[in-house]
Amino acid sequence: MQDRKANSANSDTSEFSRMIDAALSRRQFIKGSMSAGIAGFFATNPLSQAMAAKSPKLNFEPVAATTADTITLPAGYQWDVVVRWGDPLFKDAPSFDPSGKATGTSQTLQFGDNTDGMSLFPLGENRAILAINNEYTNYDLLFHHGGKDLTKDDVLKAQHAHGVSVVEVEKQGGQWKPVVDSRFNRRIHVNSEMEMTGPAAGHRHLKTDADPTGKKVMGTFNNCANGETPWGTYLTCEENFHGYFGTESDHKETADELRYGVKTRNKHYNWHLHDARFDFAKNPNEPHRHGWVVEIDPMDPTSRPKKRTALGRFKHENAALYVNQDGHVVVYLGDDERGEHLYKFISKGKYNPNNQGANRNLLEEGTLYVARFSMNPGQLAGSGEWLELTHGKNGLTKANGFADQAEVLIFTRRAATQVGATTMDRPEWVAIHPSGKQVYCTLTNNKHRGVKEGQPVGGPNPRKANHYGQIVRWQPAKGDHTSHTFSWDLFVLAGNPVVHRDLYGGSNNIDADNMFNSPDGIGFDAAGTLWIQTDGNYSNEGDFIGMGNNQMLAANPETGEIKRFMVGPKGCEVTGLAFSPDMKSMFVGIQHPGEKSTGSHWPDGGNSKPRSTVIVISKQDGGLINS
Ligand code: FEO
Ligand code: CA
Ligand code: CA
Ligand code: CA
């Protein structure tokens, strides 16, 4: 056991320790073989103690797990629909057609499908621009034929259901609704023109017959989570781009194609059947033009989105941006795949708060790093370092297969392996505490951990065949986000303490009342409460019994306390989070209710088709969220 006093950060620490001790004894956390290492980790970890300032209380009665086909909230809270898949954004848009026979053109005028990460850009007290990702689409809901008889227009409709929706929202009569035909409204999709920027722009690996410059690319898709900049732009992150490329030829994949999951046998979306751009045997460089972070100016509907190659190419989850004390812009980035990595970008230039126009290209140039964590067995805390991904350094040389910096960025995953990065349990969202002291990342699950070669059990990935997930957090050395070293611990190990009494039962802040699996979306509110959204197994059976549908929880980062705040409808994932500036409205995304024939009719009830939907949550008394 470490000496708590030796790690005391301030006078609140002893009070904090008393709270932890009380919490621990209340829960009587005693579990299996590694229990000593885990049971104490909140009480003794120096990171917790350094954070021990004012705790953000969780001021609501938690809700029970449920499999109900609705939104379940604590007493005193209410929810309302803001915008659903297929809702018109323009006055000439048709209304949603649930038959599955709507056209590709209609979908360009409507809100996209499968809502994900979002940011709110305020225009006034009761008006804002919502920039929001439409990650993908479910063919069994999109088409009357379920995708079996795909026509050219069907492919267009699917492509137009993807991308980003920019929509003005306004609070009218106490309810947030889209402003149809607002001059800000815009659909960005698979066929929208955008620009490649940064070190890889124009590289030979990015040139295609349609674009011999390697600088003009059409579209963005599988936009998962997001980020936003202090200069007012939206960052959308391209995640599972590989699944859209296919071929009918007997093409033998290259090692780089396989590393990114681009496979000849991909037959899920079948865009290549009607759009040769997605036949990667014919257009081997087209996949290189996807898997980036894209910067969008939501205030200017005519602006061209910019793909920022300096931030690397992988299956980007989100982009958590922080302006460091010295003005450098730091962006933390997860690559959501079993055994892939966690990254950090540091801008070359510095943020200028007095000249926002000068900040516009800060993400064009900088240095990318990848994380290596200490791996001491049985320890759920340790140290780590950021390894630089710059051509000519750390073995990133021509002899090792990297001709130049563009190749380091286009094949970022291979570069990360070359420098010895830690393989992670699927890094999803990263969130930075408002104080800037700590950074949190969800590691959603990983059935390959301890099973596949190169994915050893240990460090922040402590469980073999991890089907519950965890949240790791780290603290940059001296509070400087440009530092090359950090210390880390686990904030929570999700698990099921009813079924398991070992590490799979979860950490000491998990009990039968708040258990969940597969943390994914996370974000802090201004008061420092951590909100956790899940994308997990909603069978409510076996290892997942008692967890119910996917959900959203709130956590106190200082004490580790976690309470369930919301449960979503059947078959959904809860993903995407934004607050109004007055903290009275919380926007939450409900993605794919009713997927896999789970029988949802949410949000419209009756026999209606389930629809991906953005909701807004508020207090019935008009107070602040969590007040
Ligand atoms: Fe689209 Fe990793 O979630
Ligand atoms: Ca996600
Ligand atoms: Ca996920
Ligand atoms: Ca999803």
Side-chain angles (χ1 to χ4, degrees):
M1 295 280 281
Q2 287 172 293
D3 179 352
R4 284 173 203 162
K5 295 236 161 46
N7 287 308
S8 292
N10 56 46
S11 59
D12 290 332
T13 303
S14 55
E15 170 62 14
F16 171 65
S17 297
R18 273 198 297 280
M19 287 164 58
I20 289 288
D21 289 345
L24 285 172
S25 60
R26 194 170 63 242
R27 292 190 183 113
Q28 296 185 322
F29 179 84
I30 300 168
K31 290 182 181 170
S33 57
M34 290 179 72
S35 61
I38 296 214
F41 84 81
F42 273 116
T44 59
N45 196 280
L47 299 196
S48 296
Q49 298 187 7
M51 293 282 294
K54 286 203 175 75
S55 281
K57 290 204 174 74
L58 306 179
N59 297 305
F60 59 88
E61 276 303 311
V63 298
T66 172
T67 56
D69 192 29
T70 189
I71 300 288
T72 304
L73 287 167
Y77 285 84
Q78 60 193 7
W79 66 276
D80 189 25
V81 167
V82 180
V83 60
R84 300 163 293 189
W85 163 46
D87 279 344
L89 301 184
F90 302 93
K91 68 174 187 298
D92 52 348
S95 54
F96 177 69
D97 175 359
S99 73
K101 295 179 180 173
T103 64
T105 303
S106 65
Q107 184 63 77
T108 62
L109 303 171
Q110 299 167 331
F111 190 69
D113 199 1
N114 276 353
T115 176
D116 210 311
M118 66 174 101
S119 296
L120 207 60
F121 298 88
L123 297 170
E125 198 181 338
N126 294 314
R127 286 177 64 213
I129 299 173
L130 185 66
I132 182 160
N133 294 344
N134 300 115
E135 188 183 29
Y136 67 104
T137 190
N138 302 73
Y139 278 8
D140 55 338
L141 296 173
L142 186 68
F143 301 122
H144 63 283
H145 52 62
K148 289 189 193 73
D149 301 306
L150 215 55
T151 65
K152 190 173 173 64
D153 192 65
D154 287 340
V155 169
L156 272 178
K157 182 166 68 169
Q159 292 178 339
H160 296 160
H162 284 69
V164 176
S165 296
V166 180
V167 52
E168 182 180 342
V169 290
E170 187 176 19
K171 200 172 179 182
Q172 304 159 340
Q175 298 192 322
W176 287 95
K177 294 295 168 195
V179 179
V180 174
D181 232 31
S182 158
R183 69 184 179 89
F184 297 109
N185 289 3
R186 181 179 191 187
R187 279 303 321 281
I188 295 166
H189 50 67
V190 178
N191 300 304
S192 305
E193 186 176 316
M194 38 199 80
E195 187 183 333
M196 304 293 314
T197 77
H203 191 271
R204 63 189 171 88
H205 289 318
L206 298 186
K207 291 178 180 172
T208 62
D209 289 345
D211 171 31
T213 69
K215 291 182 178 173
K216 189 180 93 176
V217 58
M218 301 304 286
T220 185
F221 46 90
N222 212 277
N223 305 77
C224 188
N226 66 311
E228 64 229 10
T229 70
W231 50 94
T233 58
Y234 181 68
L235 303 175
T236 183
C237 303
E238 299 175 345
E239 192 188 21
N240 294 305
F241 64 91
H242 64 288
Y244 301 87
F245 292 94
T247 182
E248 297 302 294
S249 77
D250 55 3
H251 172 81
K252 178 89 177 75
E253 301 96 338
T254 65
D256 281 320
E257 284 167 347
L258 291 174
R259 180 71 188 260
Y260 283 84
V262 176
K263 289 181 182 161
T264 299
R265 61 178 164 83
N266 277 347
K267 303 286 182 201
H268 183 61
Y269 292 102
N270 283 324
W271 290 359
H272 67 281
L273 297 179
H274 293 288
D275 185 345
R277 181 156 69 102
F278 293 92
D279 184 327
F280 73 100
K282 290 182 184 152
N283 289 293
N285 281 347
E286 188 64 25
H288 300 155
R289 294 146 64 88
H290 306 280
W292 304 101
V293 173
V294 189
E295 186 169 6
I296 295 169
D297 181 355
M299 299 292 167
D300 179 3
T302 67
S303 60
R304 284 211 309 177
K306 293 184 161 91
K307 295 205 179 190
R308 297 302 193 186
T309 67
L311 278 62
R313 173 173 167 266
F314 40 90
K315 295 181 187 175
H316 278 281
E317 183 70 23
N318 83 333
L321 187 147
Y322 190 73
V323 178
N324 197 47
Q325 56 210 7
D326 62 2
H328 287 291
V329 171
V330 177
V331 189
Y332 292 99
L333 307 152
D335 181 354
D336 178 8
E337 179 118 33
R338 299 173 191 98
E340 288 295 338
H341 307 291
L342 179 68
Y343 297 86
K344 174 173 88 166
F345 167 85
I346 303 176
S347 67
K348 182 177 183 212
K350 292 185 178 181
Y351 178 68
N352 181 348
N354 303 315
N355 183 0
Q356 293 292 14
N359 299 319
R360 291 250 151 192
N361 287 318
L362 280 173
L363 302 183
E364 194 163 336
E365 203 177 351
T367 308
L368 193 63
Y369 300 82
V370 66
R372 179 157 65 200
F373 290 79
S374 62
M375 290 285 284
N376 298 329
Q379 287 188 16
L380 301 182
S383 58
E385 59 186 314
W386 293 104
L387 308 168
E388 186 173 342
L389 299 176
T390 297
H391 186 253
K393 294 187 181 175
N394 295 331
L396 300 173
T397 60
K398 198 165 183 181
N400 286 327
F402 300 93
D404 49 33
Q405 182 61 19
E407 288 199 350
V408 170
L409 295 169
I410 294 167
F411 306 113
T412 308
R413 287 180 162 184
R414 181 152 55 84
T417 300
Q418 179 69 45
V419 304
T422 302
T423 61
M424 306 295 285
D425 285 350
R426 298 184 56 196
E428 299 247 30
W429 294 44
V430 179
I432 302 163
H433 188 274
S435 70
K437 282 182 183 165
Q438 286 185 316
V439 191
Y440 290 62
C441 177
T442 44
L443 302 171
T444 196
N445 56 53
N446 181 5
K447 64 186 178 188
H448 294 163
R449 174 66 54 192
V451 176
K452 281 210 167 175
E453 197 184 341
Q455 301 190 38
V457 172
N461 310 286
R463 291 178 296 191
K464 184 178 177 178
N466 166 25
H467 50 305
Y468 290 128
Q470 64 265 20
I471 299 179
V472 64
R473 60 180 171 181
W474 61 93
Q475 181 163 288
K478 300 193 175 102
D480 176 0
H481 289 262
T482 67
S483 167
H484 292 176
T485 59
F486 59 89
S487 52
W488 66 269
D489 74 342
L490 290 183
F491 177 66
V492 62
L493 274 169
N496 193 325
V498 174
V499 177
H500 298 284
R501 300 196 65 79
D502 57 7
L503 275 188
Y504 297 88
S507 48
N508 52 321
N509 49 347
I510 292 296
D511 58 36
D513 294 327
N514 70 1
M515 59 184 176
F516 63 94
N517 75 89
S518 306
D520 189 334
I522 47 170
F524 284 98
D525 64 27
T529 301
L530 179 66
W531 297 86
I532 304 167
Q533 303 174 324
T534 71
D535 172 23
N537 185 308
Y538 44 73
S539 66
N540 205 37
E541 291 174 352
D543 271 351
F544 307 98
I545 196 157
M547 293 182 176
N549 294 344
N550 277 308
Q551 55 196 270
M552 182 163 69
L553 308 102
N556 178 327
E558 284 84 32
T559 63
E561 181 186 16
I562 298 175
K563 281 161 77 166
R564 187 182 297 114
F565 178 77
M566 188 203 89
V567 182
K570 285 178 193 285
C572 82
E573 169 188 344
V574 180
T575 183
L577 178 66
F579 290 88
S580 62
D582 64 8
M583 286 285 290
K584 292 180 177 175
S585 302
M586 177 190 221
F587 295 78
V588 174
I590 305 297
Q591 190 188 65
H592 61 65
E595 72 160 11
K596 296 177 186 156
S597 306
T598 33
S600 174
H601 298 287
W602 188 87
D604 298 323
N607 265 329
S608 65
K609 183 172 256 191
R611 291 163 75 182
S612 175
T613 297
V614 180
I615 62 168
V616 62
I617 296 171
S618 58
K619 282 195 84 173
Q620 286 162 347
D621 66 5
L624 309 186
I625 299 290
N626 191 30
S627 63

